[in-house]
Amino acid sequence: MTEIREQGVAGTDRYLVNFNTDELPCEFYDVVIIGSGIAGMYTALSIPKKAKVLVITKETIEINNSVLAQGGIAVSLDQHDSPDLHFQDTLYAGAGLCDEDAVKVLVTEAAENIATLCLYGVRFDRDEENRLALTREGAHSMNRIIHTGDATGKEVCDTLVRAVSRLDNVTIKECTFAVDLITENNECKGVLAVNAEGTLMAYYAPVVVCASGGYGRLYYHTTNPEVATGDGAAMAYRAGAELMDLEFVQFHPTVLFHPENKSFLISEAVRGEGALLKNINGERFMPHYHHMAELAPRDVVSRAIFEEMKKTGSDHVFLDITHKDRNFLEYRFPTIFKTCLSYGIDMSKDYIPVAPSQHYSMGGIKTDEWGKSDIKGFYSVGEAACNGIHGANRLASNSLLEGLVFGRRIGREIEKNLEDIKKCSGIKPSIRFYKERKKKELDAVRLKEELQRIMQQNVGIIRSRESLNYAMESILKMNEELSDAELFNNQLMELKNMLLLSSNVVKAALLREESRGAHFRSDFPASDDEKWLKNIVFGVNI
Ligand code: SIN
């Protein structure tokens, strides 16, 4: 795939905080992994036991985006299915921008990693013949989603955390905020982090794996947890790594729309089991928009809902699965059933009010098929990474799979290079970074919310040059206010990361003067293959 390579939005200091490695408290490891979701944990399990590994996670270990994944994991297991069909569906959803080699890796290595999960003890649902039960989600031509009820992410994450906790070579530090990647001459030396006691630390290691998740919290309405502020991509960018496909932000079509909760996902698997989308007049509309109707690619369904809401002057539509038996719904979707009921919605009798909401970041740290970035020793995997498998729009349930397949590949890379890695471990670089900064009264919570509203209103499902220019101006103004400010707490550092990423998301969205996948420009509503069948890559050193 060809690329447009440009300097991203400038005005970035190399580090967020002042430090001097001669004075910083420190620890030494062979590998540091940032993030405790499926990608981070599975990578930790895939690294040889001779390596000394540290996992740091911003919150407690169970708080991440993977845990919330309801639907499942895509894998071609049905006798009529094949990795090739999975490959084709992934490319179709990705709207021309997938990296075919990376997708091939994903689909051909899927089954062996699922077998490994089963060996770790993950309890996927099974059919009457004790085979893994398969369901359907949007844009899949076959039933190929394995699941554990509607809490697949939780089952997988809990199992992986238990397995990692048994490893003697892995240390886990919770409530530890990764501030910046420490580099020297474009080589990774470790991570600068604020530990649970609030102390700035250096965790030195020749290999750092960034599995810190995406940037969903740039938006006001999102299914992502609070931790998803794009810290990994922002720190990678400051260190000189390249970011790719930032303009592609996925909006999940069906998120609960209730005055008390606008972030709870109603899994696509509910449509996979037959739920229909209806507008507020009770009319089914998806067949007018796409031949796959409710199971069209996610970007198509989200835009169709947006269109119906506009037409009917409403802020939501409905999901109707009332034709299914209550027992079936309670068994197949226990979390969704209970949560809806807690808001007075009995999904066996009532329509569920839903609206699209931010859900997944396709863009991230540019990596190759082995998870390698362009900084020596720095890898990325999962939602933090962009290896090209999702293209302009991720196929449902390919994300947990990505964390597994590429996490294990990183493990293999580390195994291959372990001798050299060990030789570079235990070395403290000599780095001093200082910038004059002022103490300012800054309310990070208020400023974050302001940014999220700007992104929601101007860089959402439908964008235009006008809305994007407005967003850019507002973001740069906010960033200016912070440029010489001391970032005295983690919230302010997160805000700085969010501003950096937002400005680059907007810049990429402005550059791409066409509509493709999750990126829809009302001023350029058609795809333009001649000009735009390419990825947008940003870096500070380009
Ligand atoms: C869902 O259950 O609808 C989410 C699955 C995904 O995001 O891949």
Side-chain angles (χ1 to χ4, degrees):
M1 188 73 63
T2 46
E3 290 171 351
I4 291 196
R5 298 164 55 76
E6 283 214 10
Q7 280 241 336
V9 177
T12 303
D13 297 319
R14 170 62 189 89
Y15 293 99
L16 288 185
V17 291
N18 297 335
F19 69 98
N20 180 349
T21 49
D22 291 342
E23 290 159 11
L24 263 189
C26 64
E27 293 174 13
F28 294 90
Y29 296 89
D30 297 322
V31 180
V32 175
I33 298 173
I34 308 169
S36 62
I38 196 169
M41 288 289 118
Y42 197 69
T43 304
L45 287 164
S46 305
I47 291 172
K49 308 294 168 272
K50 279 192 216 140
K52 188 178 171 200
V53 179
L54 171 67
V55 177
I56 59 177
T57 184
K58 186 156 79 163
E59 257 287 346
T60 49
I61 199 151
E62 72 286 356
I63 303 216
N64 55 68
N65 212 5
S66 312
V67 164
L68 300 177
Q70 294 179 351
I73 308 181
V75 55
S76 52
L77 296 178
D78 187 273
Q79 56 170 327
H80 303 296
D81 199 2
S82 66
D84 191 46
L85 284 177
H86 187 182
F87 173 81
Q88 286 169 29
D89 291 346
T90 302
L91 296 197
Y92 176 66
L97 275 199
C98 294
D99 179 316
E100 296 196 8
D101 293 334
V103 178
K104 236 166 238 157
V105 168
L106 180 84
V107 298
T108 50
E109 295 182 15
E112 62 206 62
N113 284 290
I114 298 306
T116 305
L117 282 192
C118 292
L119 287 177
Y120 280 125
V122 175
R123 294 159 305 168
F124 291 113
D125 290 348
R126 296 198 170 252
D127 63 16
E128 314 74 51
E129 284 157 54
N130 204 31
R131 292 174 305 211
L132 294 177
L134 301 172
T135 191
R136 180 89 52 119
E137 286 183 1
H140 286 274
S141 57
M142 304 289 296
N143 284 11
R144 68 164 74 92
I145 314 299
I146 57 169
H147 49 85
T148 305
D150 57 2
T152 313
K154 178 155 173 38
E155 169 64 13
V156 176
C157 286
D158 287 353
T159 309
L160 295 183
V161 168
R162 277 196 300 275
V164 172
S165 308
R166 287 194 291 268
L167 296 177
D168 293 332
N169 66 317
V170 180
T171 305
I172 298 172
K173 288 185 193 284
E174 298 182 297
C175 302
T176 297
F177 180 79
V179 177
D180 264 307
L181 200 63
I182 304 171
T183 56
E184 221 174 19
N185 305 323
N186 205 38
E187 275 185 29
C188 180
K189 300 290 172 187
V191 177
L192 205 57
V194 177
N195 70 10
E197 287 73 47
T199 306
L200 186 67
M201 296 282 304
Y203 298 117
Y204 296 118
V207 173
V208 171
V209 181
C210 182
S212 58
Y215 44 89
R217 282 279 163 170
L218 300 189
Y219 289 82
Y220 190 71
H221 289 300
T222 173
T223 60
N224 288 197
E226 274 187 36
V227 291
T229 48
D231 307 320
M235 81 175 72
Y237 181 79
R238 284 192 293 273
E242 292 177 354
L243 308 182
M244 187 166 92
D245 287 351
L246 294 178
E247 67 276 34
F248 297 114
V249 177
Q250 185 165 73
F251 285 74
H252 196 290
T254 56
V255 177
L256 183 65
F257 192 85
H258 185 274
E260 286 163 47
N261 192 335
K262 293 192 175 71
S263 59
F264 179 73
L265 188 69
I266 309 292
S267 175
E268 200 154 294
V270 178
R271 275 173 283 138
E273 298 288 354
L276 301 177
L277 279 162
K278 295 186 172 169
N279 64 22
I280 49 152
N281 301 323
E283 297 153 350
R284 187 177 176 210
F285 55 84
M286 272 318 297
H288 306 307
Y289 289 89
H290 196 274
H291 67 275
M292 295 177 91
E294 276 77 4
L295 290 176
R298 221 168 249 187
D299 57 316
V300 176
V301 182
S302 287
R303 273 194 303 277
I305 293 176
F306 191 82
E307 203 49 45
E308 287 297 310
M309 294 188 331
K310 213 163 71 182
K311 264 194 219 161
T312 56
S314 173
D315 46 15
H316 64 278
V317 294
F318 291 112
L319 199 57
D320 171 14
I321 192 153
T322 53
H323 56 282
K324 286 277 186 187
D325 176 66
R326 184 188 172 105
N327 289 339
F328 167 79
L329 293 174
E330 271 192 288
Y331 166 75
R332 178 66 184 84
F333 301 112
T335 319
I336 296 172
F337 195 93
K338 247 190 258 149
T339 306
C340 284
L341 211 53
S342 73
Y343 294 111
I345 304 157
D346 176 345
M347 63 194 276
S348 68
K349 293 195 201 122
D350 305 320
Y351 290 180
I352 309 168
V354 292
S357 180
Q358 195 286 340
H359 182 57
Y360 191 84
S361 329
M362 265 75 75
I365 302 162
K366 182 173 187 273
T367 65
D368 68 8
E369 290 149 37
W370 294 93
K372 272 191 246 172
S373 75
D374 48 356
I375 295 175
K376 185 164 180 250
F378 182 53
Y379 295 76
S380 184
V381 61
E383 197 173 347
C386 181
N387 55 22
I389 65 159
H390 304 310
N393 175 52
R394 176 177 64 89
L395 181 67
S397 285
N398 265 354
S399 48
L400 297 186
L401 181 62
E402 178 193 5
L404 299 174
V405 168
F406 293 92
R408 195 182 61 160
R409 285 191 145 227
I410 291 173
R412 281 208 232 140
E413 270 290 298
I414 292 172
E415 184 166 20
K416 204 170 74 193
N417 298 309
L418 192 57
E419 228 172 89
D420 290 342
I421 291 168
K422 287 269 180 200
K423 278 186 207 147
C424 298
S425 293
I427 299 171
K428 187 197 277 192
S430 180
I431 304 172
R432 182 175 182 274
F433 178 82
Y434 182 80
K435 176 185 166 166
E436 187 76 34
R437 288 185 167 110
K438 294 184 198 141
K439 271 229 177 309
K440 285 189 179 177
E441 285 283 321
L442 291 166
D443 180 347
V445 176
R446 183 188 63 75
L447 290 168
K448 273 185 191 176
E449 191 178 316
E450 191 180 323
L451 172 65
Q452 288 162 338
R453 287 190 188 276
I454 292 167
M455 290 295 285
Q456 185 78 35
Q457 281 156 18
N458 300 286
V459 198
I461 299 181
I462 314 275
R463 300 114 185 236
S464 67
R465 181 180 293 137
E466 199 187 345
S467 74
L468 292 167
N469 277 334
Y470 174 81
M472 185 65 103
E473 224 174 87
S474 316
I475 294 164
L476 292 182
K477 221 182 274 167
M478 288 177 79
N479 200 38
E480 185 59 36
E481 204 179 323
L482 257 82
S483 62
D484 59 347
E486 192 182 314
L487 305 174
F488 52 85
N489 62 30
N490 296 357
Q491 290 271 357
L492 280 171
M493 290 192 256
E494 277 182 340
L495 172 64
K496 190 77 185 154
N497 288 337
M498 291 164 74
L499 288 166
L500 176 63
L501 271 181
S502 299
S503 55
N504 280 300
V505 169
V506 175
K507 178 169 174 159
L510 270 167
L511 267 179
R512 186 172 287 282
E513 292 187 331
E514 65 153 359
S515 292
R516 180 179 301 279
H519 170 75
F520 190 90
R521 288 272 305 251
S522 56
D523 44 352
F524 294 95
S527 296
D528 181 351
D529 281 356
E530 211 171 293
K531 264 204 187 127
W532 283 109
L533 214 46
K534 39 183 93 142
N535 304 99
I536 297 176
V537 177
F538 289 153
V540 274
N541 300 321
I542 289 178

